[in-house]
Amino acid sequence: MAGMFGVSIPTVVSWCDSGLVDAHRTPGGHRRIAQDVLVEFARMRGVPLPREVTGGSARILIVDDERDFSEMLRDYLRIKGFEVEVAHTGFHAGLELGRFKPDLVLLDLHMPDTDGFEVLRVLRQDADTEDIRVLACTAFRDPDLDARVARERFDGFVEKPLKMSSLLVLVRKLLGMEAIDEDGAGAARPS
């Protein structure tokens, strides 16, 4: 737990002793923390955990300045079993990329502070992010934009308004996910 949260072992011991973290104490005096307690503690504090701790859910970052749209999409994808975060600006997207480490980015092409093409360029130039799947998303589609998206290294293109079931199929395909029925049964994990 100390390594995951970037704190010292005495800090974790203090959390346990104060009751902030529920832990079992072994006869030898060591503390054991249940996985569900660890996951809930991290979620309450906004700390992303490795997939081996969270159960392997794929992570999606939505980058879109339309708050209602992005929050509705976030809620839908969470119901379908994904871990989802939202960034409303290109700058915020950069912060979330480093913190959240998504498997896929749903990227609006037209935002006030930057465009999706610039965000994509930054992603593709960094060894840590160059392999993240990126879906371009826009409501303003035309032949010139289609040609530009085709030249760039996007992994797909979706048009607003989105048909959620079609988006879900594309997301699962890009992430190499096992088949999951439309009701969400099954695990949203890379296969």
Side-chain angles (χ1 to χ4, degrees):
M1 183 172 187
M4 289 179 194
F5 285 87
V7 299
S8 67
I9 292 174
T11 298
V12 174
V13 170
S14 173
W15 289 345
C16 295
D17 291 347
S18 70
L20 191 60
V21 175
D22 186 29
H24 166 73
R25 201 162 194 164
T26 67
H30 299 285
R31 289 156 187 86
R32 299 289 181 250
I33 302 165
Q35 181 175 339
D36 61 330
V37 171
L38 176 66
V39 169
E40 184 59 27
F41 186 80
R43 283 197 178 130
M44 288 174 49
R45 283 152 185 81
V47 176
L49 292 172
R51 285 189 186 83
E52 54 272 10
V53 174
T54 62
S57 297
R59 293 179 176 173
I60 299 173
L61 176 61
I62 300 167
V63 182
D64 198 303
D65 62 314
E66 295 179 41
R67 291 182 184 272
D68 290 342
F69 168 78
S70 57
E71 290 169 7
M72 179 262 314
L73 185 56
R74 176 199 62 204
D75 295 345
Y76 173 79
L77 291 169
R78 282 182 177 169
I79 288 168
K80 295 301 180 182
F82 297 96
E83 288 185 60
V84 185
E85 293 292 335
V86 174
H88 296 294
T89 66
F91 178 78
H92 187 207
L95 296 173
E96 287 298 315
L97 284 163
R99 183 192 71 80
F100 184 59
K101 302 188 183 338
D103 301 298
L104 182 138
V105 176
L106 184 66
L107 181 58
D108 185 14
L109 295 179
H110 302 287
M111 294 179 288
D113 68 328
T114 187
D115 70 12
F117 295 101
E118 182 58 31
V119 174
L120 180 72
R121 258 184 243 106
V122 170
L123 278 169
R124 298 301 187 225
Q125 291 173 356
D126 187 326
D128 291 334
T129 59
E130 67 183 343
D131 294 326
I132 294 174
R133 301 285 189 200
V134 182
L135 274 175
C137 183
T138 189
F140 309 104
R141 217 168 155 179
D142 63 46
D144 291 336
L145 182 66
D146 289 357
R148 186 172 178 197
V149 167
R151 285 191 307 271
E152 303 286 341
R153 292 174 49 198
F154 285 98
D155 297 292
F157 191 14
V158 294
E159 187 174 5
K160 296 177 190 175
L162 299 175
K163 182 176 179 190
M164 294 299 200
S165 59
S166 298
L167 174 67
L168 185 61
V169 168
L170 181 57
V171 164
R172 288 178 176 156
K173 179 180 176 186
L174 287 174
L175 292 172
M177 315 229 21
E178 60 191 63
I180 302 171
D181 64 35
E182 184 54 32
D183 293 337
R189 297 181 185 154
S191 53

